[in-house]
Structures are given as structure tokens and as C-alpha cells.
Amino acid sequence: MLRVKRIKKADLSLRSGDLCRNFDAWISELSSKLDKDCVALLPYVESDGEYFNFLTKREGGCNELSKEALNPEQQKEYLKRSQVLCEFLDSKTPLSDTKLEAQRAYLSDLIKRSSHIMVFERGVPLLLPMETLQEEALNKTAVMPVIPPPHRGCLLPFLLGLLGLLLLLALLWYFFLRPWPFEKGEVTVKDPPVPSEPVKTPVLQQEEEVAEDPEDELKAKALEEERQRLEAEKLKKQQEEQKLKAEQERQKKLEAERKAAELKKQQAKNSKPKCRVMREQGTLPKMVIAFDGSQSMLLDDVPGSSSRLAAAKSSARKLADSIDKNVEIGLVEINGCPAAKSRGFYSGIQRSALKGTISGINPMRYDGKTPLIDGLQQISKMTDGVNADAVGVLISDGEDTCPATANLDVCQVARAIHKRQPRLKIHTILIGEDASQAACVARITGGKVFSPQNAHEIDAGLQSSGNELKKVCDE
């Protein structure tokens, strides 16, 4: 199967790591409940020591894009299938494996977020069910508590209570505080004011009477308590409004910080390191092209070209021109037993010499057999793959035909190389039906498998193999 992504277990969140460990069980569970086209939206997950590998049965190159970057046709098909998956996960349909119930809602959430989507040249995209530690932290800060608005049902009792209070205050004023008029026909003679004593107005006199009457004092105390209660409610309401406003401001600030962090992360992802620094540190990547020059490459069964060899040579020369001039390109000629022939490395200013060497590959120069196993070993010897990235491109149309190595398992050789050099990625351009056994070399090392049917597809496969080395650093 094709490996589309490889990530360290330590970089994933705890829930995402547990989900990946159980993902074979999830694929089995979903396959038994849903249509296989919906389940094909998800990958297979394989554990490899301290890494998780995300695999698929599809072939061809793929890139990781956001959901918004999909074309309309891909978006429509993706949304239709992901919606079926989420509807099943959000339903109450029991699972055959009850241990998976705890991860059900989390898997549905990852599918809805669609943070990691691998897009192929043809067909429906592939969703990777994973969440890194950094993504988990961002999601936690984005989820803030929301203060619910006041319930409308509390408004009517409050208005009725307020109306009753106003009515009570009016009655108290009318019976106890309002100055009474003189009775009709009664004549009252006012005594002259005494200078030594202050003149008592009706209001002051009434206040003295209220103070002297214990029952009126209780009523005045009740009124004061009611006033204080209303002021306390008003103050509490103002404090709640201020708290709500402060919470809204905090949410806006957190959202702005999250967007700034995402922008900074995207800028860091898009920026390239300086070539001078990589050169001093010895981390500039290298490429090695292992070119099958055996007699079978002279067959003329490739539409659009005179032979397999001519089509491969033309595409390899174009590949050499497209690679960053800071990347050295090595050449290995797989021709003649017992060993493949290393032609050394060519710098950026030696591209013409490299293309000339490719053009000079001649199956008749040696015995015409295919030392395929030794060609892979030559790629391994010529690259680092531990402290620096390396890319190998294997162009072949058949299996190993040398007596000393024909019985060796090419897949086992690839596993040994990958274990020894985990940063060496080998792509395979397999021309003809006899070359399919070497497809495992790409799948094991994280490369891409191409099975071209004509000269145009050979050219497209080689260009895709060199995509990551077309620009590796900034001057």
C-alpha cells in the first residue's frame, strides 16, 4: 500500500494516539455497517516503532490541502461521504466492538473538522484522523464558556412585583405623608412665630409624628429596606453586564491570538532555510537516479516514443533541469552483472554533463542483464538519509536477473535500507508489467509508486518524484 504520511507518536495528542492504535478495529467496524465507498475516505494506520504510518490502496502522487482548497467536484463527493460517516457516528446505533464507543464522538469531531486531507490527482480525497498536540491546544483555547441570556419567563413576575411596589408606595404617601387640607368652614389662626424656636413646616411636623409612632417607624424601615434591595439588584445587574462584556472582550483577544499563531505557523511552513546555512550544516538534500539500462529497455511498447529507453532518457533529462541547482544529482546505471555502475554526483553547474551521461546509457555496452538489488544498494551508499534528506528515483522495467542476487527479496532489501536510513525516500517508475514487484520499495521507504502506460505518464511520474527538490532553500 502507498504511505501518504508518517508522523511521530509523540507529536500526536493522547486521544489521537489511542484512536490510531485502534484504527484497524474502526475500519472493520465501519466496513460492516456502511458502504465501502464511504469507508474509503479513511486510511489504514500502521505502527512503526515511534511513528504512525497512514496508508492507502490508491496509487499516484498526493498533496496535503485544506478542505477549502478542493475543487467543486471533490468537495461535493467528500462532503457526501463524510456526512454519512458522521451521521452513523452521531447516531445511537450500537457498535459490535463496545470498546470503540468511548472514541466515537472524538472520531466524528475529527471528520467534521477535516484538518488533514490528502488530495490525489484523481478520485476522492483521503481524510487523516489525527490531531497534533499544538492543534489540541488551539482547539481548547478556542472553546470558551457562553453566558446564557436572561430567561424571558422571569420578566413578567418582575414587572408585576415592581407595579405592586409602586402601588404600595402611593398608598403610604397618600395616607401618611401627604399634608391634609383644612376642613371646610374651619378658621385657623396662626400664632406668631417664636424667634428662639425654628418654624415647623407641615412636612417636619409629620416626620416628627412618624418618628414618635412605632407603627409608622416600622413602615419607614420597610420602605428603606425595599429601596436598598432595588439598588442592590440594579448594582448586581450592572456587574453582570460588565462581566459579560469583559468575557466577550477576552474571547475576541483569544481569537485574535489564535489567528496570529496560525498565520505565524503558516509563514514558518512556507519559508525556506538559507542555502548557506544548510551547506555549512551539511543538511542539503541529495538525489540519486538509478537508471535501468538493460536490453529489455529497448522494447518499443511505449506509446509516444520509439522505445522504453528513449522515453525514460527524455524524461530523466527534463527531471535534471527542474531540480534546485543547490542539490547534487547522482547517477547509477543498472546494467551488466554482477554490479550496477555508479557514475558519481553532478553539481548544479554540471547539469549538461549529467544529461550527456544519461543520453550515453547503452544496453549493448555490457551483458544487458539487470543488477536491480545492487542498484538499490548503490542509492543507499551514495546518500546520507540520517542527518539529511535524500531522494532516490528507481527507473526499471523488470526484476533482478543477476545470478548472485536474483534470489534476494527486493522488499526485504528495502526494509533494511529504510531502517538504516529513515530519511531516504525512494520513488519507483515501473515500466512494463514485469516491474511491479519493485513497487514495495517506494511503499516501504515512503516514496511514490508510478506505473506509466505511455511516454507522457513517464514524464509526469519523474516530474512528481522531484517536486520536493525543485526549491529547497533561499539564497
Side-chain angles (χ1 to χ4, degrees):
M1 290 191 288
L2 174 63
R3 184 177 75 188
V4 297
K5 192 173 185 68
R6 185 169 189 256
I7 188 169
K8 280 189 175 181
K9 297 178 180 179
D11 292 339
L12 294 179
S13 66
L14 291 177
R15 291 196 298 171
S16 187
D18 292 339
L19 180 65
C20 288
R21 292 184 188 93
N22 295 331
F23 213 69
D24 285 345
W26 269 113
I27 293 297
S28 300
E29 182 73 35
L30 295 174
S31 298
S32 66
K33 297 289 195 303
L34 302 175
D35 186 83
K36 65 178 183 179
D37 289 339
C38 294
V39 182
L41 197 66
L42 301 173
Y44 296 90
V45 182
E46 179 185 86
S47 178
D48 178 12
E50 60 176 336
Y51 290 89
F52 279 124
N53 297 317
F54 294 89
L55 312 172
T56 181
K57 293 182 180 179
R58 308 181 197 178
E59 294 186 355
C62 63
N63 294 300
E64 185 170 354
L65 299 175
S66 63
K67 183 168 63 177
E68 292 73 16
L70 302 178
N71 63 50
E73 183 179 351
Q74 288 176 325
Q75 278 194 355
K76 180 180 178 182
E77 193 64 26
Y78 175 80
L79 290 174
K80 182 176 74 174
R81 300 189 185 190
S82 62
Q83 184 176 4
V84 173
L85 288 171
C86 291
E87 286 177 354
F88 171 73
L89 293 170
D90 294 340
S91 70
K92 296 184 179 179
T93 305
L95 300 177
S96 303
D97 189 346
T98 56
K99 298 181 197 176
L100 301 178
E101 287 288 354
Q103 298 175 339
R104 189 170 187 163
Y106 181 59
L107 178 56
S108 176
D109 182 52
L110 288 179
I111 294 174
K112 291 173 184 175
R113 276 192 262 159
S114 303
S115 300
H116 300 275
I117 299 178
M118 305 302 297
V119 180
F120 291 78
E121 296 174 358
R122 294 190 297 269
V124 181
L126 188 72
L127 171 64
L128 305 186
M130 55 174 278
E131 178 185 48
T132 64
L133 289 171
Q134 188 174 9
E135 290 170 342
E136 183 185 44
L138 288 174
N139 289 331
K140 284 183 179 178
T141 57
V143 178
M144 301 302 300
V146 178
I147 299 176
H151 198 279
R152 292 183 179 178
C154 299
L155 185 59
L156 182 58
F158 175 77
L159 292 176
L160 291 176
L162 183 60
L163 183 60
L165 177 62
L166 293 174
L167 182 60
L168 177 61
L169 291 174
L171 291 174
L172 288 173
W173 177 84
Y174 185 84
F175 286 106
F176 297 103
L177 302 177
R178 184 175 71 91
W180 288 92
F182 297 113
E183 293 183 1
K184 193 172 183 180
E186 183 180 354
V187 178
T188 303
V189 179
K190 294 183 180 179
D191 295 330
V194 181
S196 60
E197 295 181 0
V199 179
K200 294 183 179 179
T201 64
V203 175
L204 291 175
Q205 185 177 358
Q206 194 173 24
E207 288 179 353
E208 288 180 358
E209 291 174 356
V210 170
E212 292 173 359
D213 190 346
E215 185 178 349
D216 292 343
E217 185 177 353
L218 291 175
K219 292 178 180 178
K221 186 178 180 180
L223 289 173
E224 178 63 22
E225 290 177 352
E226 182 65 21
R227 183 185 65 78
Q228 291 178 357
R229 185 183 68 80
L230 291 174
E231 289 181 355
E233 288 182 355
K234 182 178 179 181
L235 179 61
K236 184 179 178 181
K237 184 177 179 181
Q238 290 176 349
Q239 290 174 346
E240 289 178 351
E241 290 177 351
Q242 291 175 355
K243 185 178 179 181
L244 178 60
K245 185 176 180 180
E247 187 65 31
Q248 291 174 345
E249 291 294 330
R250 191 164 74 92
Q251 289 185 13
K252 289 180 180 179
K253 183 178 179 181
L254 289 174
E255 180 64 17
E257 290 176 353
R258 184 186 66 81
K259 290 182 178 179
E262 288 181 354
L263 178 61
K264 185 176 180 181
K265 180 181 177 182
Q266 187 65 31
Q267 289 174 346
K269 183 178 179 181
N270 293 335
S271 64
K272 297 288 184 182
K274 294 296 182 181
C275 299
R276 177 182 56 80
V277 175
M278 293 185 71
R279 195 173 292 109
E280 291 174 354
Q281 295 176 347
T283 57
L284 277 172
K286 290 186 177 182
M287 170 181 277
V288 176
I289 302 173
F291 198 110
D292 187 343
S294 60
Q295 288 185 4
S296 59
M297 289 289 285
L298 295 174
L299 293 175
D300 59 352
D301 56 354
V302 177
S305 182
S306 59
S307 66
R308 298 177 178 179
L309 183 65
K313 283 182 178 181
S314 175
S315 298
R317 289 192 294 266
K318 292 178 184 178
L319 173 63
D321 285 331
S322 68
I323 301 301
D324 193 319
K325 299 302 182 183
N326 293 284
V327 176
E328 293 185 349
I329 302 177
L331 179 64
V332 175
E333 183 178 349
I334 303 176
N335 184 10
C337 296
K341 283 70 180 173
S342 172
R343 304 305 183 194
F345 278 98
Y346 297 80
S347 66
I349 60 175
Q350 295 176 313
R351 293 291 194 255
S352 297
L354 172 60
K355 291 188 290 184
T357 305
I358 293 173
S359 299
I361 293 176
N362 184 2
M364 308 308 296
R365 185 178 299 164
Y366 304 102
D367 59 17
K369 293 184 178 181
T370 310
L372 183 66
I373 298 294
D374 191 69
L376 290 175
Q377 298 289 11
Q378 290 288 347
I379 294 177
S380 174
K381 291 176 184 178
M382 295 172 69
T383 56
D384 184 316
V386 178
N387 300 310
D389 293 330
V391 174
V393 181
L394 174 63
I395 307 171
S396 179
D397 70 343
E399 57 188 17
D400 195 302
T401 56
C402 289
T405 54
N407 294 327
L408 295 179
D409 185 353
V410 67
C411 300
Q412 190 64 33
V413 172
R415 289 189 187 95
I417 292 174
H418 182 60
K419 183 177 181 180
R420 186 171 62 246
Q421 297 165 281
R423 294 177 67 176
L424 169 58
K425 184 186 301 182
I426 302 177
H427 305 292
T428 55
I429 313 296
L430 307 177
I431 306 172
E433 297 179 356
D434 297 334
S436 60
Q437 69 164 5
C440 65
V441 174
R443 295 187 181 117
I444 291 169
T445 61
K448 301 175 184 177
V449 180
F450 300 95
S451 300
Q453 303 300 313
N454 53 52
H456 175 73
E457 291 184 4
I458 293 175
D459 189 58
L462 278 169
Q463 289 298 320
S464 180
S465 299
N467 276 344
E468 58 193 291
L469 297 182
K470 289 182 178 179
K471 180 67 175 178
V472 300
C473 59
D474 292 328
E475 298 295 343

